[in-house]
Amino acid sequence: MDLDSKISDEDLAKLNRKNALLDVLGAEGEQIVTVGDTSSGKSTTSNFLFCFPFNHTHDDIGTRRPCAMSLVPDPKCCNLKFHVKFSKAGDCINLEVSDMQEVARIIRDVNDPCKNPKWFDCLQDTQPHGRKVHVKDAFDKEPVYVRIIHHRFLFPLRILDLPGLTRSSNLPIEIAKLYIRPGNICVLVIGKDNPNNGGFPQLVQEMKHCSQTIFIQNFASAQFRQIDANFKVVSDLLGESDEKKDVVLYCVDYGAAPDPRYRDEAAQQDWLQVFSEGGVEKVKEQMQQHERESCTRLVKQAKKQMNDCGNAENAFEQCFEGQVKLGLDKVRERIINFQVKN
């Protein structure tokens, strides 16, 4: 199954109810969570899994709390609308809006410890050494919930995006451990750093007990020579078990963020602008096309690495010793089947 799969009205109603219930249960329930080091491309991965520019966190603030994002198919909703919910320190945000910029503003606010320090427990509680956490290292476990509703959506996908793991604070690790639980799917996004040097080793024991652990190698073009080594790291650390005998590393390269000063065919488009000009269908079509083109470039790079000997469809996979696959299609299939099955 994929995002274009048509499901029965009964199953659609069940999945919508299930996702709404997960928004109430917090860390409980069977969830799909994305985790990765800061700047690994974790939030961009969530956007491409949705085929929609969902995550609006700005680089200067970052993802500082879990963000539960849900696509909600609704045959009666012809105009896109968002339902944003957040509750902390006696404050409650429960809004239905149609302006994506307003959603972006709310997401920035709930992730901004300078503007809203009372929404971050670590800035209220003194640590064992007697000092409060600096605002640049502030994170919080209370999620913000965003539901996006439209009749063009066919499958009610829900993903929980966790704060990026960072060496300057152990809080993202502690938050991740709350959500990387038995019965969940954990999607680990690997960036340009060796997985051994990031937060992944501290989460291995939790990942071993997940229903599935999915590994995604971002920046695959720049990391081409490192892919086999990265696969070996995650495979060795995860260890042998019945659940993890088919460890696979899925490779992607979304390209740089759009910059009007430079022309780069591999760079992403301004997806919010594409959406504002063409709507849900257009941005989905363009993001899928961008993903296909990036996969084509990786295949060309693989063939060059093999001196053009790898002319088969799986030329990319032939370059590597480990279980390495290209693109996000199989990842979407796995997480969507997980939602349907459960």
Side-chain angles (χ1 to χ4, degrees):
M1 297 187 72
D2 57 30
L3 288 176
D4 294 322
S5 297
K6 180 67 175 175
I7 59 177
S8 69
D9 291 343
E10 181 181 0
D11 286 342
L12 176 59
K14 286 180 179 179
L15 283 166
N16 278 335
R17 286 199 300 270
K18 174 195 170 185
N19 289 344
L21 179 60
L22 289 174
D23 284 355
V24 176
L25 293 175
E28 303 294 330
E30 296 167 332
Q31 314 211 32
I32 300 163
V33 301
T34 57
V35 65
D37 291 337
T38 301
S39 301
S40 63
K42 174 179 54 62
S43 296
T44 303
T45 295
S46 294
N47 285 343
F48 273 88
L49 287 173
F50 281 117
C51 293
F52 190 84
F54 212 147
N55 201 310
H56 306 298
T57 304
H58 281 205
D59 292 338
D60 57 339
I61 297 174
T63 305
R64 295 183 175 271
R65 63 176 68 254
C67 180
M69 303 171 286
S70 301
L71 296 181
V72 182
D74 184 349
K76 298 178 181 179
C77 183
C78 295
N79 296 316
L80 191 74
K81 62 181 180 182
F82 302 85
H83 184 197
V84 186
K85 185 173 67 173
F86 175 72
S87 181
K88 188 75 180 184
D91 295 333
C92 182
I93 298 172
N94 194 350
L95 297 174
E96 190 170 281
V97 298
S98 57
D99 183 4
M100 185 177 283
Q101 297 303 322
E102 176 66 7
V103 178
R105 182 194 65 78
I106 296 171
I107 298 299
R108 286 197 301 271
D109 283 354
V110 301
N111 281 285
D112 191 343
C114 294
K115 185 175 181 179
N116 297 296
K118 68 176 181 177
W119 290 345
F120 290 81
D121 291 342
C122 61
L123 298 180
Q124 316 306 318
D125 303 330
T126 56
Q127 302 302 301
H129 47 62
R131 292 179 297 175
K132 292 181 180 179
V133 172
H134 193 279
V135 288
K136 70 179 180 64
D137 297 323
F139 297 87
D140 194 76
K141 65 182 180 181
E142 183 63 36
V144 56
Y145 301 94
V146 184
R147 303 172 73 222
I148 177 169
I149 308 160
H150 195 259
H151 73 285
R152 289 289 189 182
F153 298 140
L154 297 179
F155 190 88
L157 184 62
R158 182 184 187 274
I159 294 176
L160 189 82
D161 188 33
L162 297 177
L165 309 177
T166 173
R167 296 181 182 88
S168 64
S169 173
N170 198 48
L171 288 173
I173 291 286
E174 295 175 8
I175 294 170
K177 288 181 177 181
L178 295 175
Y179 291 93
I180 302 176
R181 301 161 58 99
N184 289 357
I185 278 189
C186 178
V187 179
L188 175 73
V189 182
I190 302 167
K192 295 181 179 178
D193 288 339
N194 184 298
N196 261 328
N197 299 332
F200 164 61
Q202 300 177 63
L203 297 172
V204 167
Q205 292 307 314
E206 285 73 20
M207 289 183 181
K208 283 184 177 180
H209 300 293
C210 285
S211 173
Q212 297 181 50
T213 302
I214 298 174
F215 299 96
I216 295 177
Q217 173 67 68
N218 191 16
F219 309 113
S221 181
Q223 296 297 104
F224 199 87
R225 296 181 182 276
Q226 189 65 27
I227 288 174
D228 264 330
N230 288 353
F231 173 84
K232 189 174 188 311
V233 168
V234 297
S235 184
D236 289 351
L237 280 174
L238 209 57
E240 296 297 330
S241 69
D242 290 341
E243 295 85 357
K244 301 301 181 297
K245 58 187 177 183
D246 58 344
V247 174
V248 179
L249 184 62
Y250 298 93
C251 293
V252 296
D253 198 320
Y254 309 112
D259 189 331
R261 297 172 297 176
Y262 305 101
R263 178 175 173 79
D264 181 357
E265 66 173 7
Q268 298 180 56
Q269 298 181 56
D270 184 335
W271 302 121
L272 291 178
Q273 182 177 341
V274 174
F275 164 73
S276 66
E277 294 175 354
V280 170
E281 286 292 305
K282 188 65 174 180
V283 74
K284 177 181 177 181
E285 173 190 321
Q286 291 296 312
M287 292 183 79
Q288 288 176 328
Q289 177 66 20
H290 180 83
E291 186 183 335
R292 287 192 294 269
E293 290 174 353
S294 68
C295 287
T296 299
R297 284 190 289 270
L298 287 171
V299 169
K300 289 180 179 179
Q301 185 174 355
K303 288 183 177 180
K304 184 176 181 180
Q305 182 77 12
M306 300 170 67
N307 296 318
D308 288 321
C309 294
N311 294 317
E313 290 183 3
N314 60 343
F316 183 83
E317 288 86 349
Q318 290 176 4
C319 280
F320 308 103
E321 297 178 7
Q323 284 282 90
V324 175
K325 303 294 181 183
L326 184 60
L328 293 178
D329 286 345
K330 286 295 182 183
V331 176
R332 289 191 197 91
E333 182 179 320
R334 288 177 66 174
I335 62 178
I336 286 173
N337 286 341
F338 170 82
Q339 281 201 237
V340 173
K341 179 180 177 180
N342 290 292

